[in-house]
Amino acid sequence: MAAHRSLDSNLEFVLRVPFPSEREAQIAHGSLSPDRELRRANVTRELHTAGHVLSVKWSADEARLLRVAVGSFLDHLALVVETMEQFGPPVAP
């Protein structure tokens, strides 16, 4: 987890979430990708997977908007993780 101000004066926050497997990271990515930020002009989000790690980077021009975007994402992430735990390890496609 890291937060800092970028060269263009935007605030940035980066989160890396390790999963037990690459497949679970891909499932989380697929589940969380459709949710776009409400105020696209002020908050951007990039979602990537590398192996078993899901990486998310937000950029915003206001701390309040960044906080709301990250908080909302974490709520959705918790739901995705709980759902995966309830259904057990994924079956290969």
Side-chain angles (χ1 to χ4, degrees):
M1 233 180 327
H4 68 279
R5 192 171 288 276
S6 67
L7 295 176
D8 60 1
S9 295
N10 275 349
L11 296 164
E12 292 183 348
F13 184 80
V14 177
L15 176 68
R16 289 177 186 84
V17 183
F19 283 87
S21 71
E22 184 174 345
R23 180 76 178 123
E24 287 167 294
Q26 292 170 346
I27 290 170
H29 181 275
S31 298
L32 296 164
S33 290
D35 296 332
R36 292 203 172 115
E37 301 302 334
L38 293 177
R39 297 177 64 184
R40 285 185 230 150
N42 296 336
V43 178
T44 60
R45 183 184 70 198
E46 298 172 24
L47 214 58
H48 303 283
T49 56
H52 71 283
V53 177
L54 174 69
S55 297
V56 192
K57 177 183 173 184
W58 291 268
S59 180
D61 55 2
E62 294 179 34
R64 179 181 59 83
L65 296 175
L66 183 61
R67 185 188 78 243
V68 169
V70 171
S72 176
F73 179 86
L74 291 175
D75 289 343
H76 287 106
L77 177 62
L79 181 60
V80 168
V81 169
E82 285 177 30
T83 301
M84 286 194 292
E85 287 174 349
Q86 289 293 320
F87 285 94
V91 178

